[in-house]
Amino acid sequence: MSYTGDVVVGGPTQLRVLDEIEIRKVAVGPMTNNAYLLTCRREGAQLLVDPADEPERLLDLVQEGSATARLDDVVVTHRHADHHRALPSVVAVTGADVSAGAPDADAIAATSGVVVDRRLHDGDTLAVGHVTLEVIALAGHTPGSVALVYREPAHAPTPGRAHLFTGDSLFPGGVGHTHGDETLFAQLFDDVTTRLFDRFDDATWVYPGHGADTTLGAERPHLAEWRARGW
């Protein structure tokens, strides 16, 4: 089955196999959150993005990527509880480290009861085996929201395609919710514009925290519309 990014709660995993890494996507309820498992094909290291809910389903996902159920790191993209309800169970079973944006780390720890081992800042890197992910801070939806970017190896003269895991900061059709706060919207819109759209090309694939995937090319023509409407 070719990867589309279309998943439903209770449905099967979507799998994308790249040269260096495998990306698995599932939806978990009750708020139809997306969770992503990244597996280094060479070393078997694994990282889970947003342990949102249904810990048994997420632990099954980890085992889909590794017969030994290895999980090295869990990244929580932001402090909202619907993105880390399964964190205590997943960490208790796997012993994985936990990483989150520094401004959100204390709130995540207080809500989940799980210590955040690494506080992430813009430009930090995370290793998944021999694969490197870069942290991109996107303040606005929450103060410490982060995205992760993985870039495929370049094949000259073509740069490698980028893959963005954006949490609730960027979706098909707009940036994340800022609850009508003009200042927060401006911060998020500016961060998304300068740190994502100005940096990465149209082929860049976007894996959001809810719903369908998209590309920067599909969304780029609408940036002026988003700014004008203020959400």
Side-chain angles (χ1 to χ4, degrees):
M1 180 177 65
S2 61
Y3 181 85
T4 65
D6 296 327
V7 291
V8 295
V9 175
T13 302
Q14 277 268 304
L15 170 63
R16 167 169 267 174
V17 180
L18 304 174
D19 288 347
E20 295 184 316
I21 202 167
E22 295 177 353
I23 300 169
R24 289 174 169 84
K25 178 180 181 179
V26 297
V28 292
M31 297 183 68
T32 317
N33 288 72
N34 297 327
Y36 301 92
L37 181 73
L38 282 58
T39 305
C40 171
R41 298 186 66 193
R42 181 185 299 175
E43 298 182 19
Q46 299 199 118
L47 178 147
L48 180 66
V49 180
D50 282 347
D53 215 316
E54 299 184 40
E56 297 86 359
R57 178 66 183 96
L58 297 183
L59 291 168
D60 286 344
L61 179 70
V62 169
Q63 194 151 29
E64 288 178 29
S66 167
T68 62
R70 172 180 178 177
L71 186 63
D72 301 83
D73 201 352
V74 178
V75 173
V76 180
T77 59
H78 62 287
R79 66 175 64 180
H80 291 157
D82 63 302
H83 285 258
H84 57 80
R85 287 197 179 102
L87 183 62
S89 296
V90 169
V91 170
V93 172
T94 65
D97 288 338
V98 179
S99 301
D104 280 8
D106 287 342
I108 292 167
T111 303
S112 68
V114 177
V115 173
V116 175
D117 301 287
R118 182 172 179 187
R119 294 167 183 251
L120 302 173
H121 301 87
D122 188 61
D124 285 351
T125 58
L126 291 167
V128 186
H130 81 287
V131 173
T132 299
L133 307 175
E134 183 185 340
V135 176
I136 302 174
L138 300 171
H141 183 65
T142 67
S145 291
V146 295
L148 301 177
V149 59
Y150 163 70
R151 191 183 282 279
E152 296 180 56
H155 298 286
T158 306
R161 177 175 51 172
H163 298 259
L164 290 168
F165 301 87
T166 56
D168 282 2
S169 292
L170 177 63
F171 297 99
V175 298
H177 204 339
T178 53
H179 306 283
D181 187 307
E182 294 181 2
T183 300
L184 291 179
F185 170 77
Q187 173 71 69
L188 180 55
F189 183 86
D190 288 347
D191 277 2
V192 165
T193 300
T194 60
R195 297 182 177 184
L196 301 184
F197 285 94
D198 289 353
R199 180 177 172 193
F200 299 104
D201 64 23
D202 284 354
T204 300
W205 199 273
V206 177
Y207 306 81
H210 303 265
D213 296 0
T214 187
T215 65
L216 291 189
E219 306 305 321
R220 194 183 303 276
H222 306 290
L223 287 172
E225 171 192 342
W226 300 353
R227 182 184 287 278
R229 77 189 185 192
W231 56 273

